[in-house]
Amino acid sequence: MTTAPPRPSGSQPPHGLRDFYEDPAVPVASGAPRSLRQARMLAAALGPATSGARTVIDIGCGDGSAAATAAPLLAGHRIVGVDWSQDALRRAHAHLPYAVRGELTDGGLPFRSASADAVLFSEVVEHLVDPDAALDEIHRILRPGGHLMLSTPNLAAWYNRALLLAGVQPVFSEVSLRAIHGRPGKEVVGHLRLYTARALREFVTASGFEVVRLRGAPFHGVPRPMRPLDRLVCAVPSLSSILLLHARRT
């Protein structure tokens, strides 16, 4: 996943962030287990295409791998990928028939109001300078009753609680775009904001959505010996590695 960090209208993009997200070495995809769980939630919400094809907008589609994972479960529905990074879009075309460049501010996304039936917003919100403006734009393009499928790392994941008690920077949090400092892990991915389950629910509700369901998903970066426990903890979303939220536009 990558997408443009929203900025005040008329201002120039911060070159550091633009260069960061256009760097081919920056990860633009998340783990398959999260994508598959989210796709199943969306397929259940939309129902089969026999009752009518729906339009799904994958905002921050990255290399298109998440949409490719979802496609078999969304057969007959239209999936359109959107990303800010030209490099990501070049890779996305290998997985998506439709992938366009778009931003969440400065004119908004290239879609009419109330034109989408569902929005996939996977591992994007944690990268944004102005997440409020992003949710406003998603609210605009969704039809009333349309579905928002949002996923994001959990600040209060079970291992982060232990790390904080030990005085260690939580996983997923970053203090620099140049290197990892004070926490486990090796990849810098540009996280600017992190949410707990409670904070995510309140944030989405305040943005004009009704939360339908919150589930947990495992994190592909958890060390192999700990992965069975990470999958088990998904039964308690507030402790899980990844938060999967299904909401509807009010």
Side-chain angles (χ1 to χ4, degrees):
M1 154 287 117
T2 68
T3 193
R7 56 186 185 275
S9 179
S11 68
Q12 294 298 314
H15 292 292
L17 284 174
R18 179 176 290 279
D19 292 342
F20 177 81
Y21 286 116
E22 290 289 3
D23 183 351
V26 172
V28 293
S30 300
R34 187 274 303 159
S35 298
L36 187 57
R37 289 183 184 222
Q38 190 174 44
R40 286 171 177 160
M41 291 171 67
L42 179 55
L46 290 179
T50 52
S51 59
R54 309 295 185 186
T55 299
V56 179
I57 310 296
D58 184 3
I59 299 176
C61 65
D63 64 3
S65 58
T69 299
L73 299 175
L74 301 174
H77 297 301
R78 294 179 293 268
I79 306 177
V80 181
V82 184
D83 210 288
W84 172 66
S85 165
Q86 295 284 18
D87 178 74
L89 286 174
R90 281 192 291 270
R91 287 181 268 175
H93 281 294
H95 300 289
L96 288 168
Y98 307 104
V100 299
R101 192 175 189 279
E103 302 194 28
L104 288 162
T105 57
D106 287 355
L109 296 166
F111 305 106
R112 299 189 310 274
S113 296
S115 61
D117 297 287
V119 164
L120 279 170
F121 202 45
S122 306
E123 319 298 303
V124 177
V125 70
E126 65 271 15
H127 296 259
L128 302 180
V129 174
D130 188 353
D132 300 282
L135 266 289
D136 287 346
E137 182 63 1
I138 290 172
H139 192 277
R140 180 188 71 79
I141 69 169
L142 274 174
R143 64 171 177 79
H147 304 279
L148 168 63
M149 296 291 174
L150 184 157
S151 67
T152 190
N154 182 10
L155 175 61
W158 59 277
Y159 41 80
N160 278 345
R161 299 183 186 217
L163 290 173
L164 276 171
L165 285 174
V168 178
Q169 187 82 9
V171 175
F172 309 125
S173 66
E174 295 181 333
V175 299
S176 170
L177 290 179
R178 298 178 180 178
I180 295 297
H181 299 292
R183 73 157 173 84
K186 297 179 181 179
E187 289 184 333
V188 178
V189 293
H191 290 173
L192 303 179
R193 299 179 183 275
L194 290 176
Y195 299 79
T196 64
R198 178 176 178 177
L200 186 64
R201 282 180 175 273
E202 292 184 4
F203 167 62
V204 170
T205 300
S207 300
F209 295 86
E210 178 185 3
V211 175
V212 177
R213 189 176 186 185
L214 184 68
R215 294 186 60 190
F219 173 46
H220 65 279
V222 167
R224 189 173 299 275
M226 300 168 63
R227 290 178 186 176
L229 176 58
D230 193 43
R231 290 192 294 268
L232 184 64
V233 171
C234 291
V236 184
S238 61
L239 296 175
S240 66
S241 288
I242 305 296
L243 300 171
L244 302 179
L245 182 138
H246 172 203
R248 300 192 71 172
R249 180 196 186 278
T250 55

